[in-house]
Amino acid sequence: MTAPRLGWWWVAAPVLLAGVVLFAFDEVRAAGYTIAAGLGLAAVLRLVLPTARSGGLAVRSRGVDVATMAILGVALAFITSVLDLKPRG
């Protein structure tokens, strides 16, 4: 038995990783938008690639995967846009 190929997940993974790195450097707004963009990219890749080539992006059916990643990406972008990052005091 061979392990399944991970496919095109590596295209979205560096974008998501860049968002985590930005967050570690206290760039919260940039990190949120970067992670949201990575989720959007993953959703588009899952939408256009055949399931056999989607690899790690294919978890459930195509519709559920695309909807989940797209909704999470849009929600994260919205939440990031309404954050109040001004110090109080």
Side-chain angles (χ1 to χ4, degrees), residues 23-72:
F23 188 76
F25 285 109
D26 206 24
E27 296 290 336
V28 177
R29 194 169 306 273
Y33 287 133
T34 304
I35 293 172
L39 286 167
L41 175 62
V44 169
L45 287 172
R46 178 65 175 111
L47 181 64
V48 300
L49 291 173
T51 302
R53 304 268 327 234
S54 297
L57 296 173
V59 178
R60 292 170 184 84
S61 69
R62 181 185 313 267
V64 172
D65 287 342
V66 170
T68 301
M69 288 184 279
I71 290 169
L72 287 173

